Amino acid sequence: MGRSRRYWFPLAALGFAQLVMAVVALVPETPAAGDVVYAHAYQLPQGLSGLGAGGAGWYPTDAYGMWSVPAAALGWLAGLACVVLAVAGWYWLNLRRAGTPPRPVRFVLGTLGALVAVPLLDLVGAVELRMSGDTRGPLLAALGLLVLAAYERSWPVFAVTVAFTLVSVLLPTPVTGALTAASVLFAAAFAVLLRRPRDTAADTP
């Protein structure tokens, strides 16, 4: 699997998701009645009081005291869920074309497990590690890239993962990080597609 070119699609899909999230973040928001008021005091349940107002920021409340998740975090969760579904479908089609379709039950359970893992890991990062939403999202995406690198046994994907993580987390603004990370992913995807045929003789269709 290390010589396969099919992993261009996961890289491009994540890059496209990054672009969409960056564009959405640039659209100015107009608060409407009932929207989350982030200046409102935090209301923490017993056992989570250690987060305080300087905590991970996962639990601001609206005017009715209802818990809510910041839009940026929801954007990352929705974007990563869409990428997981798209990549699962891509690999299903590729494996069927190769004549080695995966076992349906195992494949579906694995896909559902990945979808459930995204919000769970995000919650762990928020509550236990006290990470901001702008950090949790890229780290979740980087974790997915590491899984891809291990599955494809690809050192280039690992290198892309390192570059993706650095530009996503270290650049001054989330939008700048997202746009730069998307450029890295698209460049890597095109590099995979443009590899010379002699490097892909063992590719899986």
Side-chain angles (χ1 to χ4, degrees):
M1 286 184 289
R3 296 168 64 87
S4 173
R5 289 198 303 172
R6 63 190 174 191
Y7 59 78
W8 72 267
F9 181 83
L11 298 176
L14 182 57
F16 182 76
Q18 291 271 100
L19 284 182
V20 171
M21 286 185 282
V23 170
V24 171
L26 290 173
V27 176
E29 296 184 7
T30 303
D35 278 354
V36 176
V37 180
Y38 292 103
H40 195 278
Y42 279 61
Q43 295 184 356
L44 297 173
Q46 186 175 5
L48 289 180
S49 57
L51 286 178
W58 241 75
Y59 300 112
T61 60
D62 60 15
Y64 302 98
M66 300 297 292
W67 289 33
S68 48
V69 181
L74 286 178
W76 267 107
L77 294 179
L80 291 177
C82 291
V83 171
V84 168
L85 291 174
V87 171
W90 169 257
Y91 273 89
W92 176 275
L93 291 175
N94 272 265
L95 291 173
R96 285 184 62 88
R97 288 175 56 193
T100 57
R103 297 178 180 178
V105 175
R106 181 178 299 181
F107 189 85
V108 171
L109 289 178
T111 302
L112 292 177
L115 289 174
V116 172
V118 169
L120 287 181
L121 291 175
D122 188 70
L123 183 60
V124 170
V127 176
E128 297 295 333
L129 303 179
R130 302 183 183 184
M131 295 179 179
S132 68
D134 293 332
T135 301
R136 297 194 309 271
L139 290 182
L140 282 174
L143 181 60
L145 288 174
L146 284 178
V147 173
L148 177 67
Y151 178 76
E152 292 287 356
R153 303 174 188 174
S154 172
W155 283 106
V157 175
F158 178 78
V160 170
T161 302
V162 174
F164 170 87
T165 305
L166 290 176
V167 300
S168 297
V169 175
L170 298 182
L171 287 183
T173 67
V175 173
T176 303
L179 292 175
T180 307
S183 301
V184 170
L185 293 169
F186 282 130
F190 278 114
V192 173
L193 286 175
L194 296 176
R195 285 194 312 186
R196 289 177 293 181
R198 68 181 180 86
D199 292 332
T200 60
D203 282 0
T204 301

